[in-house]
Amino acid sequence: MGHGVPELVLELNGRTWTLDASRPYTLGRDPQGDIVLDDARVSWRHATISWSGRSWVIEDHGSTNGTFVQGQRIHQLELGPGSAVHLGNATDGPRVSLSGTAAPAAQPQQQPYAAQGAQGGGAPAANPGWAQQAPQHQQAPQAGWQQPQQQPSAGKVPQQQGPGVGAGAPPVYGDRSPTTFHQFSIGRVMRIGRALENELVVSDLQVSRHHAEFHSTPDGRMEIRDLGSHNGTYVNGQPIAKGGSILLGPTDIVGVGHSTFRIVGDRLEEFVDTGEVSFSARHLTVTVDGGKQILKDVSFGVPEKSLIAVIGPSGSGKSTLLKALTGYRPANQGDVLYDNRNLYKQFAELRQRIGLVPQDDILHKELTVKKALKYAAKLRFPADTTGAERDARIDEVLRELKLDIHKEKKVTSLSGGQRKRVSVALELLTKPSLIFLDEPTSGLDPGMDRDVMQLLRGLADDGRTVLVVTHSVAELAICDKLLVMAPGGAVAYFGPPEEALNFFGYDTWADVFSAFENYRDYDWAGRWKGSQHYQMYAADIDAIAPQSVQMPPMQAMRPPKPQGWLSQFSTLVRRYTSVIASDKGFLALTIILPLVLGSVSLLIDQGKDLLVNTEINPSTGQPVANGTALTVLLILAVGACFAGAANSVRELIKERVIYERERATGLSRSAYLMSKVFVLGVVTVLQGLMVGVIGFSSRTLPDEGLILRSQILLELCIPIMALGFTAMMFGLIISALVKTAEKTMPLLVMFAIVQVVFTGCLFPLSGSVGVNELSYLMPSRWAVAAAGATLDFNKISPPAKGESNDPLWEHTVGAWGMDMLALIVLGVICGFFVARFLRRHEPEVMRK
């Protein structure tokens, strides 16, 4: 204490701090503050106490609930021994007492720990959670490096527990004060929903019109009943059964949309998440097969309404970190806290409050902006939302992002920056509190880069927490915090962007990234943890314990679906049909391809157009093989295979990013797959019909068929149509397996060639042991066999001497039925495998 400065001791909840006149002290909920008050009524950075040169002064920093002395709200006031200050409420808010005598027993452990060196030059305090010696560092590789200053450890300020956060007390809503209160009486029912006739009206499109009910039982207990809601009702982050109920205990929190409820005595407290949330990652470590760590002990915390940029060289784990932070691929060790709630354990509820904009656009570029958002809103909002409600929300978002003048333009006609805005608009539909973006400025010119970053700055200022992974370093200055990842997946720096280059000791980021590349074995993480910056900005990450509610073991989560299966299927079919109808090139190819493939068969042996066998060898008295029939059927079958597989081979891979994001928001995997099967199936079957009609109609056919009798042309077309459909299902398997669209074409060609070999038209299969059994896996084998059964191929193309007839070509209803059944079964099996392969493209926490 400086000479002549009166000693001031601050007392709060039985703990004391001796204040040093050489620097100011911040009071608030911010874990990085000097005196942390974990009370929901206290603002993040509530007030400051400092020595003005002649007296101690407390200054309120525009807190929400105010600072009070003797019942009067103050903004700035001189203090002295004997003063008492209430924060957040004039009567029962946390009481800060000031005196001239310290409590000796508590003194050594109450030294404030933040703002070290910045204003007073005090030594930074070490976090007890980091019980380790600061790492000893090797000689700096370049002269420009600043060596870390080894600071002595000091005690850490104990974190105060707010009301209801102590042992056995109910957790609060991310340490926030309730928005409203509702009185309860025994026997009363209180219904929650979007409709105005509910007792609790929640104006949130994520909430159903009649969502859930609170019931008070005669014995005084409370029960929550779900009313068949679409987005689910949650207790402690876990969904309760649709239409089910659960008794509530004193520590339970009920989640409905963006609102959470808690029973306190005879009243119901409601907190509405408007977006101002804190976010932190604690000791995230990701290990892949073989034990290699690709993310190493990553910890950082950010306050509400912040913009955080994550940069680093290739191989530094940025994408892995993003997946860990969003729950797409949870870390093997560590926690992600959303406003002090464990994201991994409460992912089912909290996923609705998180927006993710991947590097690739998450919309169909063939649609207009308004139509793309309309389909997204239809899928994400409950089935009982009206078209007017969805349109109003879409228009609101378009105005906010200044996209209303572009709403009737196709997405593909927009500039790169505008397309990224549309992707952000899609995520903003559901009003997320936390938004992640992966390389949003990739491929954009500097002007668009600036526009996108300023957009993100605006989103944060409007009350959201925004984290952006980027390679661009031009606009880092507008961010609140910067996270620099080092090669190997460790943190090299976290703090204000304006201090980062000075921390590394270089003038440009190009130099920093070169140092990362040239000195990959350098202990970047150790240098960071041994630095004063670490003590100032990251050492207190373990200060506040997460809310301790009883949670079931980590398990796969089946998300509630905003829409029923049929509703999702209908929306997806209409969207996919709109996409196809908007793509004139695809439409033209869809018509031209079967015309060409069918017409090619007309070139085969034009002088002999019979698909029957009327020639008899006079010397043997046996029918002469009709090679025309086999060749024509071979061409038609291969054409149908190629057309069907070509239709679908790119469909899943080109929409992979869209599917991943929509699946995380509640899209049904089976509804998505069936919408593809239905639309592509209709297209492919019609193409098969065109191929068959062109190929068969100009030929002489038998008088009647096996099944349809007089409609033999249609009977011959049915196997070709079914073959195209099954080939389309094989194409979906390819599309679900490959990682890039470029790999689909070689596999498509290989598939078509294999089908040629196993048709049975080039050489007999029935007598080839092994080859014949393998041919049973090929759809072309069964389609040709079904057509062959109708045409009686065993007579049209009799086997050579000593060979037996092909049983699949027998001219019987049974053989034809078995051939068609096998073709259908192959298609169903393909559908099963496609569904399984689609699981690989879902958030890992959702997989069963």
Side-chain angles (χ1 to χ4, degrees), residues 1-10 17-21 51 56 79-82 98-103 107:
M1 186 72 63
H3 179 68
V5 177
E7 184 181 67
L8 191 69
V9 177
L10 183 150
W17 292 264
T18 301
L19 305 189
D20 186 344
W51 175 253
W56 288 96
L79 299 172
L98 302 166
S99 65
T101 305
Q107 172 78 21

Side-chain angles (χ1 to χ4, degrees), residues 420-498:
K420 193 58 63 178
R421 280 177 178 266
V422 178
S423 292
V424 173
L426 190 151
E427 291 300 313
L428 290 185
L429 288 174
T430 53
K431 297 185 178 180
S433 305
L434 190 61
I435 303 177
F436 294 92
L437 300 100
D438 187 10
E439 302 284 0
T441 61
S442 178
L444 302 184
D445 62 47
M448 290 184 179
D449 181 355
R450 177 186 299 171
D451 289 344
V452 170
M453 292 301 291
Q454 288 178 343
L455 165 67
L456 303 184
R457 176 72 266 171
L459 293 178
D461 292 340
D462 286 342
R464 305 173 183 93
T465 301
V466 182
L467 186 144
V468 53
V469 174
T470 180
H471 277 298
S472 174
V473 296
E475 303 297 328
L476 295 179
I478 69 173
C479 301
D480 297 299
K481 291 289 191 293
L482 175 64
L483 177 67
V484 183
M485 301 293 292
V491 177
Y493 173 83
F494 178 73
E498 61 270 15

Side-chain angles (χ1 to χ4, degrees), residues 584-599 647 683 686-687 690-691 694:
K584 301 300 189 290
F586 180 83
L587 282 177
L589 188 61
T590 299
I591 297 172
I592 294 172
L593 185 62
L595 290 176
V596 172
L597 294 175
S599 300
N647 285 339
V683 171
L686 291 177
Q687 287 180 322
M690 292 173 63
V691 170
I694 294 172

Side-chain angles (χ1 to χ4, degrees), residues 63-74:
S63 64
T64 302
N65 295 318
T67 303
F68 301 87
V69 175
Q70 296 181 351
Q72 299 296 315
R73 185 164 183 166
I74 59 99

Side-chain angles (χ1 to χ4, degrees), residues 323 326-330 343-348 351 554-559 664 839 842-848:
K323 291 179 181 178
T326 56
Y328 270 51
R329 199 288 188 196
L343 175 65
Y344 294 162
K345 292 183 178 180
Q346 303 188 37
F347 183 79
R351 68 184 176 86
M554 180 71 172
Q555 58 186 0
M557 187 276 296
R558 176 178 292 180
R839 291 179 63 253
E842 299 171 0
E844 187 171 310
V845 72
M846 294 170 59
R847 302 179 196 170
K848 287 180 286 191

Side-chain angles (χ1 to χ4, degrees), residues 607-620:
K608 188 175 183 181
D609 60 357
L610 302 177
L611 293 187
V612 293
N613 200 337
T614 58
E615 289 192 49
I616 301 296
N617 188 327
S619 60
T620 62

